[in-house]
Amino acid sequence: AQTEPIRPVNINTASKEELVEVEGIGPTLAERIIAYREENGPFQTIEELDNVKGIGPSLIENIRYLVCTEDTP
């Protein structure tokens, strides 16, 4: 059986529902990520998530391979 590769969630375009599917991001953090990008523009790097209240270096390391900043084909 062939398994689908995990497609990272684009933190610049994802809806709240899509963000919540990322392990470690709950509804509150999802709302904060969306609010941050609406106020500051798109995230340039994953590390910028550190600017969102409630997200620190350890969570960023845990989700690094589950999120991205641009869509890949």
Side-chain angles (χ1 to χ4, degrees):
Q2 197 170 6
T3 57
E4 292 250 340
I6 295 173
R7 289 194 71 93
V9 173
N10 185 332
I11 56 176
N12 288 321
T13 59
S15 66
K16 178 180 172 183
E17 291 73 25
E18 291 169 317
L19 288 168
V20 169
E21 289 181 13
V22 176
E23 192 173 336
I25 297 180
T28 303
L29 281 182
E31 288 172 3
R32 289 180 187 159
I33 290 169
I34 292 168
Y36 181 89
R37 74 180 186 217
E38 286 174 353
E39 290 173 27
N40 301 283
F43 291 92
Q44 300 299 312
T45 66
I46 302 300
E47 285 71 24
E48 270 186 68
L49 283 170
D50 197 27
N51 297 329
V52 177
K53 184 179 179 206
I55 298 181
S58 61
L59 179 57
I60 291 171
E61 279 308 307
N62 291 344
I63 66 173
R64 177 173 302 281
Y65 301 103
L66 304 175
V67 296
C68 63
T69 55
E70 55 189 43
D71 288 318
T72 51

